[in-house]
């Protein structure tokens, strides 16, 4: 008899650890295949450090084929799932050829994407922190702003170049702010025409506190550390609109800046919305043991699932 085929969609924490656990438990009793857009695992909590230059990209990534020996890795874009035929359609290779992958059991762990479309201009002008390229782009962008500020003779241009606005005061936002500030402080010695007091870093948080998941003591500690370093925190403040040179807040204030970093706007992957599965709040509704109702042999976990 042929071995059962277990296909795992997504190479984030959920997909990686599901594949690892099944490989350890089942050994050679099943065929395991992981389908992911990249052939390496990104340890996302380290992305701010990569963006700030305190660690290199190699320290935040590991090849899937090294981590998951015995598991088939397919680098491909997931397009659709046919639950009746029990197949997954992917686009793979340089020519992006469509390929159908059969399965007996399917695990959907596609995480989240970023959707900034609700705020006018934000999707066009904000940097995000979701992947390795985002972190690299942020570091290059910050250095470029310092380069520009060092040579410009226009005070208003310099002021905008040295103003950095971060939207979101959760884990990602606060870590990104801290690493960005460290990067700027380390770099200033190379830019004689830029003074530390000219740097302005602003955090916009729609809630009444930063780090809402943390105990009050730690929230207050973080806020005091930011205050000591001259980082502004504006609570109960969201973003109404954004352009390449300005951010308009929900309070009506206009911030002249050339750097906008958005750590908000988490949304399910578009392919999840196209799947014929029960959705709740944009996520796949699952039962107690992560099974997807009315879909035999289909499971879901991670940020794309409502557990």
């Amino acid at each position: 008899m042929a071995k059962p085929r277990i296909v795992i969609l997504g190479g984030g924490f959920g997909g990686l650890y599901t594949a690892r656990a099944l490989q350890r438990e089942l050994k050679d009793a099943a065929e395991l295949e992981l389908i992911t857009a990249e052939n390496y695992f990104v340890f996302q909590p380290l992305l701010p450090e990569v963006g700030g230059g305190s660690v290199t990209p190699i320290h935040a990534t590991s090849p899937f084929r090294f981590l998951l020996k015995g598991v088939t890795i397919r680098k491909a874009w997931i397009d659709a799932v046919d639950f009746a035929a029990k197949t997954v359609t992917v686009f793979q290779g340089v020519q992006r050829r469509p390929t159908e992958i059969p399965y007996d059991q399917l695990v959907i762990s596609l995480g989240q994407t970023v959707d900034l479309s609700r705020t006018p201009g934000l999707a066009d002008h904000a940097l995000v922190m979701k992947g390795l390229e985002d972190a690299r782009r942020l570091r290059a962008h910050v250095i470029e702003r310092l380069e520009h500020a060092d040579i410009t003779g226009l005070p208003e241009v310099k002021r905008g170049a040295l103003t950095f606005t971060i939207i979101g005061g959760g884990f990602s936002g606060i870590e990104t702010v801290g690493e960005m500030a460290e990067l700027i402080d380390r770099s200033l010695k190379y830019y004689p025409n830029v003074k530390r007091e000219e740097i302005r870093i602003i955090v916009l948080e729609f809630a009444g506190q930063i780090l809402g998941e943390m105990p009050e003591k730690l929230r207050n500690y973080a806020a005091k550390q930011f205050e000591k370093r001259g980082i502004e925190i504006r609570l109960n403040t969201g973003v109404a609109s954004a352009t390449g040179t300005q951010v308009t807040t929900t309070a009506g204030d206009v911030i002249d800046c050339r750097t906008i970093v958005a750590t908000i706007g988490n949304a399910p992957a578009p392919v999840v919305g196209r799947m014929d599965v029960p959705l709740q709040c944009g996520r796949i509704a699952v039962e107690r043991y992560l099974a997807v109702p009315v879909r035999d042999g289909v499971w879901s976990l991670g940020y794309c699932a409502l557990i």
Side-chain angles (χ1 to χ4, degrees):
M1 294 180 62
K3 296 179 182 179
R5 283 182 48 81
I6 303 175
V7 174
I8 302 166
L9 307 182
F13 281 100
L16 169 68
Y17 283 96
T18 296
R20 176 177 285 182
L22 290 175
Q23 171 72 0
R24 186 185 302 117
E25 182 72 20
L26 300 176
K27 297 182 173 61
D28 295 328
E31 294 181 14
L32 293 175
E33 181 168 330
L34 179 75
I35 303 177
T36 174
E38 303 292 348
N39 62 4
Y40 53 83
F41 171 72
V42 178
F43 189 76
Q44 285 194 329
L46 279 180
L47 286 180
E49 282 79 359
V50 175
S54 57
V55 302
T56 63
I58 196 172
H59 294 120
T61 60
S62 295
F64 279 117
R65 288 175 173 83
F66 173 77
L67 294 173
L68 298 172
K69 293 180 174 65
V71 177
T72 299
I73 307 298
R74 186 184 298 267
K75 183 179 183 296
W77 291 95
I78 300 159
D79 179 65
V81 178
D82 187 334
F83 295 104
K86 286 198 167 186
T87 59
V88 179
T89 300
V90 302
F91 290 93
Q92 61 185 29
V94 176
Q95 297 180 333
R96 297 290 177 92
R97 295 183 179 276
T99 304
E100 289 190 350
I101 312 299
Y103 69 84
D104 295 303
Q105 301 284 326
L106 181 69
V107 180
I108 304 171
S109 183
L110 290 170
Q112 296 182 119
T113 57
V114 178
D115 180 9
L116 303 175
S117 60
R118 295 183 180 182
T119 303
L122 198 58
D124 295 326
H125 302 290
L127 299 166
V128 298
M129 284 293 284
K130 274 295 184 183
L132 202 59
E133 180 59 22
D134 298 327
R136 186 208 64 78
R137 187 181 295 113
L138 175 64
R139 184 176 186 276
H141 177 89
V142 170
I143 296 299
E144 184 60 31
R145 297 289 77 77
L146 294 177
E147 293 279 358
H148 194 182
D150 191 56
I151 62 174
T152 184
L154 301 174
E156 67 276 11
V157 172
K158 185 177 186 180
R159 184 168 56 252
L162 297 179
T163 301
F164 303 86
T165 302
I166 295 83
I167 305 168
F171 286 122
S172 296
I174 296 305
E175 280 194 87
T176 300
V177 171
E179 290 296 330
M180 183 187 297
E182 290 282 353
L183 172 61
I184 293 171
D185 288 345
R186 291 197 309 269
S187 303
L188 284 181
K189 61 183 178 181
Y190 303 109
Y191 301 98
N193 297 320
V194 178
K195 309 303 179 186
R196 181 61 181 87
E197 56 269 21
E198 295 179 293
I199 304 295
R200 189 182 182 196
I201 302 175
I202 305 169
V203 181
L204 303 181
E205 171 53 51
F206 194 73
Q209 57 194 7
I210 61 170
L211 297 173
E213 305 89 345
M214 302 295 289
E216 184 178 2
K217 182 179 179 179
L218 292 179
R219 293 199 301 266
N220 293 338
Y221 175 81
K224 289 179 181 178
Q225 292 300 312
F226 276 16
E227 183 180 357
K228 289 179 181 178
R229 299 176 66 178
I231 298 172
E232 302 176 40
I233 299 177
R234 298 191 185 183
L235 302 176
N236 302 304
T237 304
V239 179
S241 63
T243 69
T245 58
Q246 290 182 334
V247 170
T248 302
T249 72
T250 52
D253 298 324
V254 177
I255 302 171
D256 291 325
C257 64
R258 302 297 185 274
T259 303
I260 307 170
V261 183
T263 61
I264 60 173
N266 290 328
V271 65
V272 172
R274 298 196 301 268
M275 292 181 183
D276 187 14
V277 291
L279 297 176
Q280 188 175 345
C281 302
R283 298 183 178 187
I284 301 174
V286 296
E287 297 173 346
R288 180 176 181 182
Y289 297 105
L290 307 183
V292 178
V294 308
R295 292 300 176 198
D296 181 49
V298 179
W299 317 79
S300 186
L301 73 159
Y303 286 120
C304 72
L306 186 67
I307 300 173

